[in-house]
Amino acid sequence: MSISRRKFLGWLGAAGLSTTLSKAASAATTKHFTGYPDSVGVLFDNTRCIGCRKCEAGCNKVNELPAPDQSFDDLTVLAQQRRTTARAYTVVNRYDKVNHPKGPLYGKIQCNHCLEPACASACFVRAFDKTKIGAVTYDETVCVGCRYCMIACPFEIPTYEYYKALTPRVMKCTLCYPRISKGLLPGCVESCPTESLTYGKRRDLLRIARERIHRFPERYVDHIYGEHEMGGTSWLYLSAVPFREVGMREDLGVTPAPELTAGALSGVPIVVGMWPVLLTGIYAISKRKEKIASAEKEQAVTTAVEQAKAEAEAQLAEALAKAEEEKKKAIESEGQKALKEGDKPQAEEADKTETEEDS
Amino acid sequence: MSEDTATIGKSYFTPFNIIAGLIVIMGLVLTVIRFTGGLAATTNLSDYNPWGLWIGFDLLVGVALAAGGYVTSAAVYLFGMKKYHSAVRPAILTAFLGYALVVLALHYDVGRPWRLPYPFIVQQGTTSLLFEVGACVALYLMVLFIEFTPVPLEWLGFKHARNLVVKLTLLLTVFGVVLSTLHQSSLGALFLIAPSKLHPLWYSPYLPVYFFVSSIIAGLSMVIFESTLSFRFFKHKMDESHSAEKDTIALGFGKAASFVLAGYFIIKVIGISAGNQWHFLTTNYGLWYLVELLGFVALPCFFYAVGVRDKNVTLIKWTAFWTVIGVVINRFNVSMIAFNWHLPSSERYFPHWMEIGISVFIVTVGLIAFKFIVTRMPILYEHPEYKDAH
Amino acid sequence: MESAIHTLHEFMFRTETITYLIIVAALFAITGFWLFLTGRDEE
Ligand code: SF4
Ligand code: SF4
Ligand code: SF4
């Protein structure tokens, strides 16, 4: 039940979808996953680390990485803060400004092999795999080189071979997957002279860590970094000072990466399912409106025509009637005239005959 | 004879052609450097900053500004706003070119471009938002291509094929809107997985919604902006209805953009409130956020409104331009400026000039293609044989 | 099958893959269904 999912679905709900949908969608993740039961990890204890960079050298050797710019015996590099690079899967940093009686503390950075890896969740060709044993591995034969994994990783671990023109790879610690599958120790753990690094089942490491905190409460802060960060990581850390003082972010939260995107992903099928219905509906409505409008227009035209016709007819009829009347009048007057005129000749004739008879 | 060649020579060496030619030559040189020297030779990308200008501008801005295609075709074909019909073809053409160029640009950005089809044919990373973006962009490019085909088909005189495609309009439009909704929002959702890297003012569970809504704004504004440019440079190619509808389109789309901007403003504020990020507003990033929110969301919203009420097309055109810049700024903020805000300035990213060069080159290729098509095919005018055929 | 899933990532990978398949099928299906639904409409 991530907030993001609820919010996103809330928005969809506002777009006209019912709340039952949001319930159904979030039900998919009410299950709680705890990771592969017997997976391994490494516990790093900074109260034991002496900053000798032997782990860096060991990692470089077992992974056959290119030789470093400065030899691993040269500790002056510790004056600067470094990060993982395409040539170094792990680096050690020194933190001078810590409030610690025994002087500076050291930190080791490498892939944390998250229980729910953000890199794997983000990769669109599934180049990363959270293996059963615990290592997050990378398959360069499918990688497209989009570098979204690097955007996604909250620990800023994956690096890229930008300098290669045609075959760049993402580079990151593999937890020495080939070695641990054979029962060997990871290169860094093997070369650590002080047992700052403890390899074992994550479950056991958690117990060991808790025990150390319990036995020496004044030596450690009461927190195992990696137990819950970003949903938990295979690498675990104990520290003498608050973790932010040794370069580790304390603001990452405990939400596993896949959950961050689950909300947006669950919106996809909803859009695909409902948009065509919604859009076709709108289309149908607009078409119907158009039809009605054009029908109304037609109606209006016909009535107008009819009216005009009727008017014209009425006018015609009137005109005809008028004409008829006029005609009648005309005929009548003509008739009278004719009658009158008819009288005249007769009279004349009568006169004539009279005169003829007279003569 | 000599006179003839002289006139031909003259017509080829227009200022546009000279500048475009030079940019293309530069682009080709940079392309060679990119694919022989790798990303390191041409970009300032680093292990902290795996995404730069080619994602921030070419992908995010490119896709957002190509949103005019689905916005316009939805308005005309689905919402029945027939009076904007003359805007459809230019918008579809721009969208098609835009998406084609986005895909071209990705070939520069990814490490092994020939593997771009791998997510679909080799192994599917279905949990990735990028998978969704890739699938939708690929499909939508195809949809746009089909939507666009009536133009060359009319030009070439293939009546049958043309009429067949036109029959598919409704289906293609619905598909286009579905795919656009998905990938426009998913481009924002890409950053959901990195809450620890994106500044809290920009990071929000609403990111996908923000990207989708602002793509509508970008689409509407681009149509207005583009029709202004087209009118300026290709006036002679416009038929009466296109010139006449131009202002109607500006008024209608401006009104829509204003209202969508208002809604966008509201959900942006709600996002701040939901995450309780108010206190960040007084920091430097907060100031910059306010510039974006007030200067490029609230302000254009208001100016559009004034422009629509006063029927002031000039104001609307300038506001469209301003809004487009605002969307560009927003995409830059999310992908570059507010991304990795926690890092010291020495680790922050600023593009290499060659990255800018490639981006300019790609935009120029788009302009050349646009010009080529608009001056030949029935985009800004209706083909005489197909008048009233819709 | 349920017991074989140990991570949310794996769970989402499986469900999302199926979801995408359903989506593709749904798009075809709803287009066909629309044609069926409106098949006897007079223009
Ligand atoms: S630390 Fe980063 S690279 Fe390593 S598994 Fe976790 S997300 Fe992936
Ligand atoms: S760069 Fe490679 S491994 Fe990383 S997300 Fe892209 S395809 Fe996957
Ligand atoms: S586990 Fe192996 S790859 Fe990882 S840092 Fe140690 S030696 Fe290097």
Side-chain angles (χ1 to χ4, degrees):
Chain A
M1 279 280 276
S2 79
I3 291 172
S4 63
R5 184 173 326 109
R6 246 183 286 144
K7 277 182 189 157
F8 187 68
L9 283 156
W11 169 72
L12 283 175
L17 302 164
S18 72
T19 40
T20 43
L21 255 174
S22 74
K23 266 186 207 142
S26 57
T29 46
T30 48
K31 282 196 200 74
H32 183 57
F33 298 96
T34 48
Y36 293 103
D38 284 325
S39 64
V40 300
V42 179
L43 173 66
F44 173 76
D45 184 336
N46 74 5
T47 64
R48 302 179 176 196
C49 181
I50 54 169
C52 65
R53 296 186 70 204
K54 290 274 192 302
C55 53
E56 286 187 40
C59 177
N60 180 281
K61 203 173 127 224
V62 300
N63 290 296
E64 291 163 5
L65 295 172
D69 296 336
Q70 271 162 301
S71 140
F72 288 114
D73 300 328
D74 181 359
L75 297 184
T76 58
V77 295
L78 294 176
Q80 277 168 13
Q81 294 297 308
R82 296 174 301 151
R83 58 153 294 153
T84 53
T85 69
R87 297 158 201 264
Y89 289 166
T90 183
V91 291
V92 174
N93 278 326
R94 187 177 68 214
Y95 301 94
D96 295 314
K97 279 185 240 133
V98 291
N99 181 19
H100 188 242
K102 288 186 197 155
L105 287 169
Y106 300 90
K108 178 181 182 298
I109 303 172
Q110 75 298 306
C111 172
N112 283 322
H113 299 274
C114 308
L115 302 186
E116 301 287 355
C119 54
S121 174
C123 179
F124 69 160
V125 276
R126 242 177 335 127
F128 292 100
D129 185 24
K130 177 75 182 172
T131 55
K132 228 174 135 191
I133 195 168
V136 176
T137 58
Y138 162 75
D139 178 4
E140 63 165 272
T141 63
V142 291
C143 173
V144 182
C146 67
R147 309 185 296 285
Y148 187 33
C149 48
M150 299 168 69
I151 293 280
C153 173
F155 303 104
E156 300 171 323
I157 294 304
T159 63
Y160 201 60
E161 296 181 311
Y162 290 107
Y163 46 86
K164 284 198 181 164
L166 297 174
T167 57
R169 294 169 295 174
V170 170
M171 301 293 274
K172 78 165 193 70
C173 153
T174 60
L175 197 56
C176 286
Y177 180 66
R179 285 172 64 89
I180 59 173
S181 322
K182 277 188 267 171
L184 297 170
L185 282 177
C188 53
V189 177
E190 195 177 58
S191 41
C192 178
T194 64
E195 288 185 8
S196 303
L197 298 171
T198 315
Y199 171 84
K201 292 209 173 118
R202 185 174 186 268
R203 206 176 337 121
D204 300 337
L205 295 177
L206 278 172
R207 220 190 46 237
I208 294 171
R210 263 189 220 111
E211 223 168 79
R212 282 190 202 168
I213 295 174
H214 181 69
R215 294 232 315 265
F216 309 104
E218 71 296 337
R219 197 189 284 174
Y220 299 103
V221 292
D222 187 12
H223 182 74
I224 305 170
Y225 194 97
E227 185 177 9
H228 300 298
E229 272 74 11
M230 291 304 290
T233 59
S234 292
W235 276 67
L236 300 166
Y237 301 82
L238 282 176
S239 173
V241 297
F243 285 95
R244 63 178 169 278
E245 291 178 27
V246 287
M248 300 174 78
R249 293 188 65 171
E250 290 178 335
D251 59 346
L252 296 180
V254 296
T255 312
E259 213 163 279
L260 292 169
T261 51
L265 281 173
S266 68
V268 171
I270 303 306
V271 169
V272 175
M274 293 316 289
W275 250 227
V277 176
L278 218 72
L279 294 172
T280 321
I282 291 171
Y283 166 76
I285 292 170
S286 76
K287 197 145 184 227
R288 212 178 114 74
K289 258 196 200 146
E290 221 171 79
K291 234 185 203 167
I292 292 173
S294 70
E296 264 169 12
K297 213 168 162 192
E298 227 165 78
Q299 182 88 45
V301 168
T302 27
T303 32
V305 166
E306 257 159 34
Q307 220 168 339
K309 225 186 193 170
E311 243 163 57
E313 258 163 30
Q315 245 169 28
L316 194 68
E318 210 177 295
L320 277 178
K322 224 181 189 174
E324 195 86 344
E325 215 171 287
E326 252 159 44
K327 208 169 156 194
K328 240 192 214 155
K329 258 191 209 155
I331 290 171
E332 259 167 36
S333 66
E334 277 302 302
Q336 263 164 17
K337 223 186 192 173
L339 273 180
K340 269 184 200 157
E341 264 167 31
D343 282 351
K344 233 195 222 162
Q346 267 175 356
E348 262 169 42
E349 249 167 66
D351 279 353
K352 242 187 194 169
T353 41
E354 263 175 42
T355 46
E356 268 171 25
E357 276 169 22
D358 280 351
S359 59
Chain B
M1 215 26 214
S2 62
E3 253 184 58
D4 262 310
T5 40
T7 43
I8 286 169
K10 214 167 149 196
S11 68
Y12 272 117
F13 286 96
T14 59
F16 174 85
N17 286 359
I18 294 173
I19 296 171
L22 288 177
I23 292 175
V24 168
I25 292 169
M26 172 200 71
L28 294 176
V29 174
L30 293 184
T31 305
V32 172
I33 300 176
R34 156 66 185 91
F35 288 105
T36 52
L39 287 163
T42 35
T43 71
N44 278 344
L45 297 176
S46 67
D47 291 330
Y48 277 126
N49 303 290
W51 284 359
L53 191 70
W54 292 345
I55 295 293
F57 179 74
D58 299 24
L59 176 65
L60 297 187
V61 172
V63 168
L65 298 193
Y70 86 89
V71 172
T72 314
S73 53
V76 173
Y77 295 131
L78 297 180
F79 299 158
M81 305 182 185
K82 294 267 160 66
K83 58 181 169 175
Y84 306 131
H85 192 268
S86 64
V88 172
R89 279 203 175 170
I92 296 272
L93 172 64
T94 326
F96 172 60
L97 289 177
Y99 277 87
L101 294 172
V102 164
V103 174
L104 175 68
L106 285 180
H107 283 78
Y108 287 82
D109 184 72
V110 303
R112 308 196 198 196
W114 53 93
R115 286 184 178 175
L116 274 171
Y118 272 29
F120 315 114
I121 57 174
V122 176
Q123 216 162 245
Q124 292 75 29
T126 47
T127 53
S128 171
L129 258 321
L130 195 61
F131 176 79
E132 207 253 282
V133 170
C136 288
V137 168
L139 283 175
Y140 188 46
L141 185 61
M142 276 192 253
V143 168
L144 278 172
F145 177 73
I146 304 173
E147 277 188 292
F148 175 67
T149 46
V151 175
L153 289 176
E154 282 177 17
W155 181 49
L156 298 169
F158 294 140
K159 257 192 189 163
H160 264 308
R162 182 259 180 207
N163 290 341
L164 201 77
V165 177
V166 169
K167 277 215 184 93
L168 292 174
T169 303
L170 177 64
L171 183 74
L172 290 171
T173 309
V174 171
F175 266 39
V177 176
V178 169
L179 291 169
S180 294
T181 310
L182 290 178
H183 71 260
Q184 294 284 4
S185 59
S186 294
L187 280 176
L190 283 181
F191 294 90
L192 285 179
I193 205 162
S196 56
K197 296 184 184 177
L198 183 56
H199 191 283
L201 284 173
W202 282 273
Y203 184 90
S204 158
Y206 295 128
L207 260 177
V209 187
Y210 291 162
F211 266 56
F212 174 59
V213 175
S214 56
S215 85
I216 298 174
I217 296 163
L220 292 167
S221 303
M222 271 306 276
V223 170
I224 301 173
F225 179 54
E226 240 183 78
S227 82
T228 314
L229 292 186
S230 295
F231 187 71
R232 238 187 109 174
F233 296 109
F234 305 109
K235 201 172 173 177
H236 54 285
K237 281 281 158 195
M238 284 195 175
D239 66 10
E240 249 168 64
S241 75
H242 278 71
S243 315
E245 279 176 24
K246 191 173 59 74
D247 288 356
T248 326
I249 290 167
L251 289 170
F253 278 39
K255 192 193 241 170
S258 175
F259 210 49
V260 181
L261 275 164
Y264 183 58
F265 182 84
I266 292 170
I267 59 173
K268 285 283 255 190
V269 173
I270 287 174
I272 299 295
S273 165
N276 197 22
Q277 318 288 18
W278 299 107
H279 59 287
F280 282 108
L281 288 178
T282 52
T283 63
N284 284 340
Y285 275 101
L287 216 61
W288 178 233
Y289 182 84
L290 288 176
V291 168
E292 187 197 317
L293 185 67
L294 299 178
F296 292 92
V297 179
L299 197 68
C301 171
F302 176 69
F303 277 153
Y304 265 137
V306 172
V308 170
R309 284 168 58 98
D310 295 352
K311 307 249 176 306
N312 183 345
V313 177
T314 320
L315 179 61
I316 292 179
K317 283 173 185 167
W318 282 104
T319 311
F321 176 65
W322 189 250
T323 313
V324 168
I325 301 214
V327 174
V328 175
I329 290 179
N330 173 258
R331 298 308 193 253
F332 278 14
N333 280 340
V334 171
S335 65
M336 293 181 282
I337 297 169
F339 192 81
N340 273 341
W341 67 292
H342 61 291
L343 292 180
S345 55
S346 59
E347 298 295 347
R348 297 301 304 277
Y349 165 86
F350 191 83
H352 193 277
W353 72 265
M354 289 198 211
E355 289 180 83
I356 301 174
I358 290 286
S359 292
V360 170
F361 162 64
I362 285 172
V363 171
T364 309
V365 170
L367 286 179
I368 295 173
F370 188 81
K371 189 168 178 249
F372 179 89
I373 294 171
V374 161
T375 47
R376 281 167 184 76
M377 301 184 196
I379 300 287
L380 300 175
Y381 60 93
E382 262 175 86
H383 197 287
E385 278 183 46
Y386 303 97
K387 274 213 166 138
D388 315 313
H390 18 262
Chain C
M1 226 33 205
E2 275 293 287
S3 61
I5 301 179
H6 291 282
T7 62
L8 175 61
H9 173 60
E10 181 69 19
F11 174 83
M12 279 181 59
F13 168 63
R14 293 194 192 185
T15 52
E16 280 300 318
T17 307
I18 296 165
T19 305
Y20 275 110
L21 291 175
I22 295 175
I23 284 175
V24 173
L27 279 178
F28 282 105
I30 198 148
T31 312
F33 185 68
W34 173 252
L35 292 178
F36 170 71
L37 184 66
T38 57
R40 296 210 180 143
D41 287 7
E42 309 99 54
E43 252 317 294

